[in-house]
Amino acid sequence: MSWKVLIVAGVFEVAWAIGLEYSDGFSKFWPSVATVVALVVSMVLLAKSLQTLPVGTAYAVWTGIGAVGTATLGIVLFDEPADLLRVAFIGVIVVGIVGLHLSSGGH
């Protein structure tokens, strides 16, 4: 269950990171509110997952999910470059996330 909570925490990390762009430096009210809510939810869920997962593993996976999701949405939503090297290195992060999950016994 902790891994599922951690994955959801990572998704909320992506939400608040993308929300930073939409909040325009916290100058737009509703995008700013959504960003702060996503940040709080992400942190609370990360903390919850740390009750049973090692902090190093959980934090690396949480930031990895955030990095992959944010980079991918940056390409899709904000027309950021999607060159082969960038996509390949995003893939390396995914491999790292999966590797951490497998090496921890997946529980």
Side-chain angles (χ1 to χ4, degrees):
M1 186 60 152
S2 293
W3 278 98
K4 291 177 184 172
V5 170
L6 182 59
I7 290 167
V8 174
V11 169
F12 275 95
E13 185 192 5
V14 174
W16 72 255
I18 295 298
L20 289 173
E21 180 72 20
Y22 285 110
S23 74
D24 197 23
F26 291 111
S27 65
K28 296 179 181 174
F29 182 75
W30 288 114
S32 297
V33 169
T35 299
V36 170
V37 168
L39 175 66
V40 170
V41 170
S42 181
M43 290 290 175
V44 167
L45 293 175
L46 173 62
K48 182 75 175 158
S49 74
L50 291 176
Q51 291 176 329
T52 56
L53 296 175
V55 66
T57 300
Y59 184 75
V61 169
W62 179 73
T63 58
I65 292 168
V68 168
T70 304
T72 301
L73 286 177
I75 291 167
V76 172
L77 298 175
F78 307 122
D79 210 24
E80 294 177 3
D83 57 76
L84 182 60
L85 269 180
R86 183 179 177 137
V87 173
F89 285 119
I90 291 170
V92 170
I93 297 170
V94 171
V95 169
I97 293 167
V98 172
L100 285 168
H101 178 66
L102 294 175
S103 69
S104 73
H107 43 36

